[in-house]
Amino acid sequence: WFDLASLQIQRSSKSISRLSVPIASLDPSLKEAATATIRLGATASAQGLTQVNTRGDGRTVSAAANGDECHEIIRQPGRPAGYLYLRIDPALKTTPFVQAKVQVEYFDTTNAAFNLQYDSHEDIGEKQGAYAPTAQRVRGSGSGTWKTGTFVLENLRFEGRQNAQADLRVCVTSSNLLVRSVTLTKLIRE
């Protein structure tokens, strides 16, 4: 015989999927096909990546660190995270990605902690992979210098299914984060 609590635990455990996408490695057989970048500051300079959804959980403000312009991703009170939402230029999506390498240039503080969430074919969460989180997280060491966190993404969908038709977002769960640039490299088969 069983009780209702056991039945609910068993039923809910069957519906649990992976909480994040496994850490991927760059496939050496792939070639770089295109690069998109955004440099943040008082005025953003973008080629192939556009910042979208700049209100609510996507709020950022112009800032500076060590004399360099950047944006500060603001984590709103009561929210689990703050985000930098990015949309990829449709011209870069005409042929499918096999992998993508994303480099986030951030100011290293002891509080810095972030990962990426991207639109994927993964069966994760209620949005069916629109916000697939990377298992890799970058954690600050407190050096007080600019550093680069690199992520490799696989099983990419990039159909603009995030807020404001974004394709990926930098996800900050710690205190606010200073970001100077984001570069996305499209990798394809030869």
Side-chain angles (χ1 to χ4, degrees):
W1 94 280
F2 60 91
D3 63 20
L4 184 58
S6 305
L7 183 60
Q8 288 173 339
I9 291 169
Q10 183 181 30
R11 185 174 53 202
S12 66
S13 68
K14 288 184 179 179
S15 66
I16 295 174
S17 60
R18 286 195 319 261
L19 298 177
S20 62
V21 178
I23 295 175
S25 300
L26 278 175
D27 181 338
S29 70
L30 301 178
K31 71 172 188 171
E32 292 185 7
T35 300
T37 190
I38 186 167
R39 187 163 181 93
L40 302 164
T43 304
S45 169
Q47 290 184 323
L49 278 180
T50 304
Q51 182 182 5
V52 294
N53 194 38
T54 57
R55 297 181 185 190
D57 67 353
R59 183 167 174 252
T60 67
V61 296
S62 294
N66 280 0
D68 293 312
E69 289 187 3
C70 59
H71 271 210
E72 182 175 8
I73 301 173
I74 307 296
R75 182 174 172 205
Q76 300 293 333
R79 299 237 184 184
Y83 305 100
L84 171 63
Y85 286 89
L86 299 167
R87 183 183 304 146
I88 301 169
D89 186 315
L92 291 174
K93 299 190 280 186
T94 56
T95 57
F97 284 69
V98 175
Q99 285 185 326
K101 178 174 70 173
V102 179
Q103 296 172 293
V104 178
E105 194 177 15
Y106 68 98
F107 192 72
D108 183 33
T109 65
T110 54
N111 294 330
F114 67 95
N115 69 339
L116 297 183
Q117 295 178 348
Y118 64 99
D119 190 7
S120 79
H121 288 287
E122 296 289 337
D123 184 17
I124 297 175
E126 66 183 53
K127 297 285 185 176
Q128 297 300 306
Y131 297 94
T134 58
Q136 176 188 356
R137 290 189 62 75
V138 172
R139 296 199 185 279
S141 65
S143 71
T145 62
W146 289 100
K147 290 192 172 184
T148 302
T150 301
F151 300 84
V152 177
L153 312 180
E154 295 182 311
N155 204 11
L156 306 164
R157 190 164 176 171
F158 289 157
E159 292 178 356
R161 298 183 309 141
Q162 294 186 354
N163 294 342
Q165 291 81 48
D167 295 297
L168 69 149
R169 64 187 186 178
V170 177
C171 174
V172 179
T173 55
S174 62
S175 61
N176 301 350
L177 178 73
L178 298 172
V179 175
R180 183 163 59 181
S181 68
V182 178
T183 301
L184 176 138
T185 303
K186 179 178 183 175
L187 301 165
I188 61 170
R189 300 215 183 279
E190 292 199 57

